[in-house]
Amino acid sequence: MNERPNGIREEIITIERYILDQQYTHPGATGAFTNLLYDIALAAKIIARETTRAGLVEILGLAGKMNIQGEAQMKLDVFANETMVRMNSYTGRLALMASEEVPGVISIPEEYSAGRYILVFDPLDGSSNIDVNVSIGTIFGVYRRITKEGPATEADCLQPGRDLVAAGYIIYGSSTMMIYSTGNGVHGFTLDPGVGEFLLSHPNIRIPDKAKYFSVNQGYEKYWGEGVLRFTRWLQGMNEEDPREPLSGRYIGSLVADFHRNLLAGGIYYYPADRRKPKGPRGKLRLLYEAAPLAFIAQHAGGYASDGQQPILDILPESLHQRVPLYIGNRDLVEKAEEFIAAYGE
Ligand code: AHM
């Protein structure tokens, strides 16, 4: 991409143009995949419009109650989920969907034709942050259908992240951005609300070699195992045998926002296994809707994601809502976490 001497790019490229241009590099492509990405971008714009009005709900009518027009107000996470489903169920591009908000799979209604792709998504991640006006996001992953006949089934969703054909996220922050990868670089687009278009703003994102931040909820330190504690002390430059410059700590508590910052500035986000609920799952975040799609993005930006013991992208999900510990960001830092966990346990 050409730049003028003042740093401003020569071209203004919309996401639609960009996705189409990518399609032309794949002779024989039917356009279904291209259009699917564009449908997601459109859903994102609708969700973005509502998130910017979130603070007005109390003025215009409480969530769960009637608004002044007598319409029932929907909670934003329910709205985001419905938008993704409504936008994608009739297009003929998908065989099945699965959402963090819905216990089972989401079938394509019989009256619509089914396609070849599977869409998994977390419609509104970090939803506890909505009420306090902190960035939230949507995360998505696209797989190819693997069952051969009949309606697609849950088995089509339970694929390892390695088999993703595309993944991305939308961050609703000081501006709305959509970041995605189809395995050919990671590209970021910023929504111009005036014209209603996502414009290419961050082509070929690479995670910087030198990390700046570590992001973890240290409030739960007392529940951590020895490996996680020692790794954290190492990041803070407090390991006497292996001292380093301390990293700056930043934790928003919205995975998309924490991940996005570290992707652009360099760093590691982790949500380790902990002992808050001794009989509970190993981690908090969902493999299918959160960890795997972001691991795909990290990988294609030169980073890495692990559950502390193995690459996230290698894990074969056993159930739709399976949770995993997540370490994601600069490869050297994630590998260091694996070393500490191998030596001292998680
Ligand atoms: P959610 O699905 O309830 O939104 O939870 C997911 C969120 C992530 O966005 C975030 O990184 C994490 O939970 C924060 O958890 P905690 O408040 O325990 O630090």
Side-chain angles (χ1 to χ4, degrees):
M1 176 160 304
N2 302 325
E3 261 189 25
R4 290 182 183 169
N6 59 6
I8 295 176
R9 296 205 180 93
E10 287 284 353
E11 307 93 348
I12 296 176
I13 302 175
T14 65
I15 199 166
E16 186 180 13
R17 180 79 259 148
Y18 196 81
I19 296 172
L20 270 174
D21 286 350
Q22 296 285 308
Q23 183 192 324
Y24 297 141
T25 63
H26 292 94
T30 62
F33 180 61
T34 304
N35 286 319
L36 170 56
L37 284 176
Y38 192 63
D39 295 339
I40 295 170
L42 191 52
K45 285 190 235 176
I46 297 172
I47 299 169
R49 186 196 62 201
E50 286 306 299
T51 56
T52 54
R53 300 178 52 208
L56 298 170
V57 167
E58 293 206 351
I59 301 168
L60 303 174
L62 284 171
K65 303 244 176 88
M66 295 289 173
N67 68 13
I68 47 174
Q69 283 89 30
E71 301 155 337
Q73 287 283 314
M74 227 182 267
K75 288 183 78 181
L76 207 49
D77 43 6
V78 178
F79 175 83
N81 186 61
E82 291 211 351
T83 304
M84 289 292 278
V85 173
R86 286 174 60 202
M87 204 69 227
N88 287 291
S89 50
Y90 65 90
T91 58
R93 302 188 242 286
L94 294 181
L96 198 65
M97 288 180 259
S99 160
E100 213 226 63
E101 285 284 321
V102 179
V105 291
I106 305 166
S107 303
I108 302 301
E110 271 175 22
E111 62 264 37
Y112 304 129
S113 60
R116 294 185 292 143
Y117 294 102
I118 307 291
L119 177 65
V120 296
F121 57 92
D122 179 354
L124 215 55
D125 180 73
S127 45
S128 63
N129 280 325
I130 297 170
D131 290 346
V132 288
N133 209 353
V134 169
S135 299
I136 43 183
T138 299
I139 309 173
F140 66 91
V142 180
Y143 290 95
R144 270 192 201 92
R145 177 181 177 171
I146 47 173
T147 53
K148 299 279 180 262
E149 52 196 30
T153 66
E154 189 175 304
D156 289 300
C157 298
L158 301 180
Q159 300 189 48
R162 271 271 162 250
D163 294 341
L164 281 161
V165 289
Y169 62 88
I170 298 99
I171 176 167
Y172 312 103
S174 45
S175 52
T176 297
M177 282 190 74
M178 177 160 164
I179 282 80
Y180 79 87
S181 176
T182 55
N184 183 15
V186 175
H187 312 291
F189 301 80
T190 303
L191 181 65
D192 181 331
V195 292
E197 288 280 7
F198 279 107
L199 304 178
L200 181 62
S201 53
H202 296 65
N204 282 316
I205 298 172
R206 302 290 298 171
I207 190 161
D209 290 339
K210 194 166 160 19
K212 245 174 139 172
Y213 300 119
F214 78 102
S215 315
V216 66
N217 188 342
Q218 281 192 279
Y220 296 138
E221 233 183 61
K222 80 171 208 181
Y223 301 112
W224 292 350
E226 186 67 15
V228 181
L229 265 176
R230 284 185 184 248
F231 171 59
T232 308
R233 297 291 170 264
W234 177 80
L235 290 172
Q236 294 170 308
M238 291 162 73
N239 181 317
E240 282 171 12
E241 286 118 60
D242 184 11
R244 54 162 294 136
E245 276 290 297
L247 286 180
S248 184
R250 289 277 192 287
Y251 189 72
I252 298 169
S254 249
L255 174 60
V256 169
D258 280 308
F259 175 77
H260 182 70
R261 182 200 50 243
N262 292 351
L263 178 71
L264 297 187
I268 181 170
Y269 169 96
Y270 51 112
Y271 204 109
D274 64 38
R275 285 163 189 70
R276 249 179 304 168
K277 293 185 191 144
K279 288 196 183 133
R282 266 172 74 225
K284 171 178 183 187
L285 301 172
R286 316 279 180 149
L287 173 58
L288 206 55
Y289 314 109
E290 297 171 318
L294 294 187
F296 185 86
I297 295 287
Q299 179 90 4
H300 289 284
Y304 174 50
S306 166
D307 74 347
Q309 293 166 357
Q310 60 182 320
I312 290 285
L313 293 177
D314 285 350
I315 304 175
L316 183 66
E318 287 166 12
S319 62
L320 289 176
H321 295 277
Q322 182 174 337
R323 296 171 193 265
V324 282
L326 176 64
Y327 298 80
I328 188 164
N330 281 66
R331 177 170 280 278
D332 56 332
L333 298 182
V334 177
E335 285 177 347
K336 196 73 182 177
E338 288 178 331
E339 271 176 41
F340 274 103
I341 285 168
Y344 300 100
E346 65 179 10

